[in-house]
Amino acid sequence: MAKNITIIRGNTQTVNLTVLDAASVPAITDTDTIYFTAKPAYDEDETDGSAVVRKTLNARDVLDTTTGIVSFKLTAAEANVPPGKYVYDIVLKQADTDRVTLLEGKLTIKPAVTLRGFNAD
């Protein structure tokens, strides 16, 4: 599934997605891991060294096991990247080693007018 996301540089952004199987049952458990990665372009680097945003989440911290809704924030610091267009994906790594891309698309970081406040000042 593809979805484009646009945020303003340095702004906190909440990401929500519902992960259900064909029977509308949550298709994720609290022992799974979720990866959010954004890069300037697709590449073959297995370390994700070119990522401008790299976030690893324990599903138990971001999952509502009743509804299957995953909700997490990109912090202001994580979103403080140069304005531009990036590719991103959200990948589910299940405890049994299955790996599933839940969402992917383009991430656009728009310039911010106010640049104060990225750091404690």
Side-chain angles (χ1 to χ4, degrees), residues 87-103:
V87 293
Y88 83 91
D89 64 12
I90 300 173
V91 172
L92 168 66
K93 173 76 169 57
Q94 296 176 314
D96 64 4
T97 70
D98 282 347
R99 189 174 180 280
V100 179
T101 300
L102 301 174
L103 195 62

Side-chain angles (χ1 to χ4, degrees), residues 7 11-15 36 53 55 72-76 78-79:
I7 61 176
N11 282 6
T12 302
Q13 176 72 35
T14 300
V15 177
F36 179 94
V53 180
K55 191 167 184 89
F72 64 90
K73 286 186 180 182
L74 294 179
T75 66
E78 291 167 331

Side-chain angles (χ1 to χ4, degrees), residues 2-40:
K3 178 180 179 182
N4 295 335
I5 299 173
T6 300
I7 61 176
I8 296 173
R9 176 184 177 195
N11 282 6
T12 302
Q13 176 72 35
T14 300
V15 177
N16 297 305
L17 64 143
T18 304
V19 185
L20 301 174
D21 66 14
S24 295
V25 174
I28 185 171
T29 68
D30 64 0
T31 59
D32 297 337
T33 303
I34 298 166
Y35 300 98
F36 179 94
T37 307
K39 300 177 177 183

Side-chain angles (χ1 to χ4, degrees), residues 41-107:
Y42 294 98
D43 62 34
E44 297 297 321
D45 179 4
E46 292 182 12
T47 68
D48 293 329
S50 67
V52 295
V53 180
R54 182 184 348 202
K55 191 167 184 89
T56 302
L57 305 151
N58 291 317
R60 71 179 151 275
D61 298 331
V62 296
L63 170 67
D64 181 324
T65 55
T66 305
T67 62
I69 295 175
V70 172
S71 181
F72 64 90
K73 286 186 180 182
L74 294 179
T75 66
E78 291 167 331
N80 184 17
V81 298
K85 294 189 184 289
Y86 302 92
V87 293
Y88 83 91
D89 64 12
I90 300 173
V91 172
L92 168 66
K93 173 76 169 57
Q94 296 176 314
D96 64 4
T97 70
D98 282 347
R99 189 174 180 280
V100 179
T101 300
L102 301 174
L103 195 62
E104 55 86 26
K106 304 277 189 216
L107 171 66

